[in-house]
Amino acid sequence: MAQIAEDLFLLLLDNASGQPGLDNPRRGHVLAAATLLDLAHAQRIRPAVDGEPVPAGRLIALAAPAPLDPVTGPAFELVQHSALRPRSAIKRLSRHAEDRLVEQLALTGQIQRISLRPKGFRKTYRYPLTTRDRVGPARAMLLSALFDRTPPAPATAAAITLLHAVDGLGALLSLNDRGWRWVHGRAGEIAAGSWVDESPTGLAEVNLAVTASAIRRALAQLA
């Protein structure tokens, strides 16, 4: 299940417009990166290290029993076919990451897809939520991690890391200067991997943190 990517897209949806609040290409990049982190948490990919047959830092596919879905499957096939630099993987996946997420979330009944009047030759949509059962807890956990210093769950830490990397937390929060100083400081700690030490973790969480570090640097290069 693409929990990180799906949660992130749901968090980005604006209640009034029914559209994601983060502009493109940042949105495409961050959703593609989230899909890669879903694979990392499932222990399906990781960055190569020195001494392996491919250059260190490139993403490599791993054999693992974790199931794939219509969102993570194409991302895994991309990495499985060729060990890619994180930046290259993000750019290639960003072309279709949002479309795959929308299709999956609509198929599972979490959003609606409503066609709007075309703008020029491009068809546009709005995506009203059908329920807040998922996005409500996801937003509460994100706010608690940022403002109450609650140790974040892996999916929450990943979402904060990605949004911090593209300066995208403003799509979720409206704060004064003092509030932003606090949020940027706490988000920076989480993005640097502090969350791994804040609660018990296993191999999946460590692999997520290691991969997130590489992905975060790639997003910064794309910004």
Side-chain angles (χ1 to χ4, degrees), residues 11 25 28 38 48 64 80 85 100 104 108 114 120 146 154 167 172 198 202 205:
L11 284 166
D38 274 309
Q80 189 179 41
R85 293 183 178 90
R100 290 176 181 137
Q104 181 70 0
T108 54
I114 299 174
L146 290 175
D167 194 23
L172 305 185
E198 293 179 9
E205 289 74 28

Side-chain angles (χ1 to χ4, degrees), residues 123-146:
K123 203 169 187 178
T124 58
Y125 298 88
R126 60 187 301 265
Y127 310 108
L129 295 166
T130 59
T131 174
R132 296 194 64 82
D133 289 350
R134 181 167 174 182
V135 71
R139 183 175 178 83
M141 287 189 289
L142 183 141
L143 294 176
S144 183
L146 290 175

Side-chain angles (χ1 to χ4, degrees), residues 101-175:
L101 281 164
V102 166
E103 185 173 351
Q104 181 70 0
L105 289 167
L107 185 65
T108 54
Q110 298 178 71
I111 62 172
Q112 298 179 60
R113 179 165 43 186
I114 299 174
S115 179
L116 300 175
R117 182 175 298 174
K119 292 184 178 179
F121 295 102
R122 186 174 181 181
K123 203 169 187 178
T124 58
Y125 298 88
R126 60 187 301 265
Y127 310 108
L129 295 166
T130 59
T131 174
R132 296 194 64 82
D133 289 350
R134 181 167 174 182
V135 71
R139 183 175 178 83
M141 287 189 289
L142 183 141
L143 294 176
S144 183
L146 290 175
F147 293 102
D148 301 329
R149 303 190 69 86
T150 303
T156 304
I160 291 171
T161 297
L162 296 177
L163 290 172
H164 182 262
V166 299
D167 194 23
L169 285 165
L172 305 185
L173 305 171
S174 179
L175 304 169

Side-chain angles (χ1 to χ4, degrees), residues 58-111:
R58 295 202 177 200
L59 299 176
I60 57 175
L62 305 172
L68 298 173
D69 59 27
V71 176
T72 56
F76 180 73
E77 290 173 5
L78 178 68
V79 177
Q80 189 179 41
H81 181 263
S82 177
L84 297 172
R85 293 183 178 90
R87 178 177 175 176
S88 297
I90 291 169
K91 287 181 70 174
R92 291 174 65 172
L93 289 172
S94 67
R95 300 169 191 166
H96 303 293
E98 182 171 334
D99 292 339
R100 290 176 181 137
L101 281 164
V102 166
E103 185 173 351
Q104 181 70 0
L105 289 167
L107 185 65
T108 54
Q110 298 178 71
I111 62 172

